[in-house]
Amino acid sequence: MSDLIAIAYDGEDTAFRVRDRLVQLTKEHVIELEDLVVAVHHHDGKTEIKQTANLAGMGALSGAFWGLLIGLIFFAPIFGLAIGAIAGAVSGRFADYGIDDKFIKEVAESVGPGNSAVFLLVRKMTPDKVVDAIREYGGRVVRTSLSEMEEENLRGAFGAGTAAKAEVPPPGA
């Protein structure tokens, strides 16, 4: 089961720097992410959401593999490859995988203009190493699916103590 963590940052570019650091931590096998999203609430009021996973590309690759395999069985590998890639790309494009987009937008708007947020869907991690790696960027924990005690520990690690939670409905509500 994955855990959701949303952390808000001052400044529009801070969340992108945190994202880059988290990607580096995945390469070091310190954290395993299912989804990683950056949302920016611009000064003009617009919200920008940057998904790290290209679902259409992943779908096309997966579809191409299965299409090729099925095509080999029916002696039409090129046709199977093409049909599989197209079907995979279309399904990946329209899939709502990972963190709910509506939830991301609501949290991003709640952090205020000129600020940003990072959304993590964590499969597993080494908490102390992850917190140490991103603590320098500041941030405040906005929302998690962690237990009350784990969430309080996380808030304390960022220096937020018992800060009030943002009034954001839970995902899927």
Side-chain angles (χ1 to χ4, degrees):
M1 182 170 163
S2 299
D3 291 313
L4 172 68
I5 301 171
I7 306 170
Y9 293 96
D10 295 331
E12 292 185 5
D13 64 331
T14 308
F16 289 107
R17 293 196 315 262
V18 172
R19 178 203 58 194
D20 295 343
R21 182 66 178 117
L22 288 166
V23 168
Q24 183 181 1
L25 291 174
T26 61
K27 292 176 184 175
E28 297 171 10
H29 303 286
V30 173
I31 187 170
E32 189 177 317
L33 297 171
E34 197 170 310
D35 199 4
L36 175 60
V37 177
V38 172
V40 178
H41 189 172
H42 294 289
H43 289 287
D44 63 5
K46 293 183 180 176
T47 303
E48 175 185 9
I49 297 173
K50 294 286 187 179
Q51 201 88 24
T52 56
N54 180 353
L55 298 177
M58 289 191 315
L61 184 61
S62 173
F65 169 76
W66 289 109
L68 178 63
L69 186 63
I70 292 169
L72 284 171
I73 293 170
F74 294 105
F75 303 109
I78 302 300
F79 181 70
L81 178 75
I83 295 299
I86 292 168
V90 169
S91 68
R93 171 69 176 97
F94 294 109
D96 190 10
Y97 174 78
I99 305 167
D100 182 54
D101 292 342
K102 182 179 174 190
F103 172 71
I104 293 169
K105 190 168 178 85
E106 288 171 356
V107 171
E109 289 172 356
S110 76
V111 299
N115 296 317
S116 55
V118 171
F119 299 82
L120 310 161
L121 200 53
V122 181
R123 273 194 207 124
K124 63 182 182 177
M125 71 172 167
T126 309
D128 55 337
K129 290 182 179 181
V130 173
V131 170
D132 286 345
I134 63 174
R135 182 180 290 147
E136 68 184 87
Y137 301 101
R140 59 196 176 282
V141 178
V142 178
R143 187 73 168 214
T144 76
S145 64
L146 300 171
S147 71
E148 289 292 324
M149 186 171 63
E150 291 172 320
E151 185 172 339
E152 235 6 83
N153 289 339
L154 188 59
R155 287 179 189 277
F158 282 101
T162 57
K165 295 179 185 179
E167 292 300 319
V168 178

